[in-house]
Amino acid sequence: QVQLVESGGGLVQAGDSLRLSCAASGRTYGTWHTGWFRQAPGKEREFVAAIRWSDGNTVYADSLKGRFTISRDGVKNTVYLQMNSLKPEDTAVYYCAADLSRLVITTTRAAYWGQGTQVTVSS
């Protein structure tokens, strides 16, 4: 019932910034949460940040708080991930996800996922 399309990834140098976008469509009910995850080659997919659509309440992975900021645009139905001071260890495919539950959106069990966008940070 929800479609998610990510964009904004690219190749940058350490210390640079990027803003990822997640365009959402097809919401049918309830208070949705949209989150960002990332997965590096050979690694498990991990939670980055999430936002409650109704009021913009946010939650972040502890290790990323302060460098990454999640936000939303209600008119465009789009969620953003502003990534600052990027490090080589931030290199991964970044995925957008959506779920009705805050508890679920911080895990890898979200109901809906986008196709991902590659972020590569060189040193």
Side-chain angles (χ1 to χ4, degrees):
Q1 294 180 338
V2 176
Q3 289 185 311
L4 306 170
V5 180
E6 305 97 330
S7 63
L11 174 63
V12 299
Q13 296 181 349
D16 286 351
S17 298
L18 279 175
R19 188 179 72 169
L20 307 182
S21 298
C22 174
S25 62
R27 292 178 60 181
T28 58
Y29 61 88
T31 302
W32 286 89
H33 303 256
T34 304
W36 287 97
F37 293 75
R38 66 185 185 182
Q39 187 167 24
K43 301 291 185 65
E44 298 286 339
R45 189 169 298 186
E46 64 176 340
F47 171 74
V48 173
I51 188 166
R52 184 163 57 198
W53 194 253
S54 61
D55 62 1
N57 184 263
T58 59
V59 61
Y60 296 88
D62 289 340
S63 62
L64 302 176
K65 188 75 169 63
R67 291 198 299 121
F68 289 12
T69 302
I70 190 170
S71 61
R72 81 213 196 292
D73 185 322
V75 175
K76 296 181 179 180
N77 211 34
T78 299
V79 174
Y80 303 97
L81 183 68
Q82 178 67 45
M83 305 185 294
N84 298 325
S85 301
L86 285 164
K87 305 174 181 179
E89 55 261 42
D90 295 321
T91 295
V93 176
Y94 283 71
Y95 296 91
C96 186
D99 202 277
L100 287 170
S101 172
R102 176 185 177 277
L103 294 176
V104 172
I105 201 61
T106 59
T107 74
T108 59
R109 297 182 291 107
Y112 302 97
W113 294 86
Q115 298 300 307
T117 184
Q118 177 71 48
V119 173
T120 302
V121 184
S122 65
S123 59

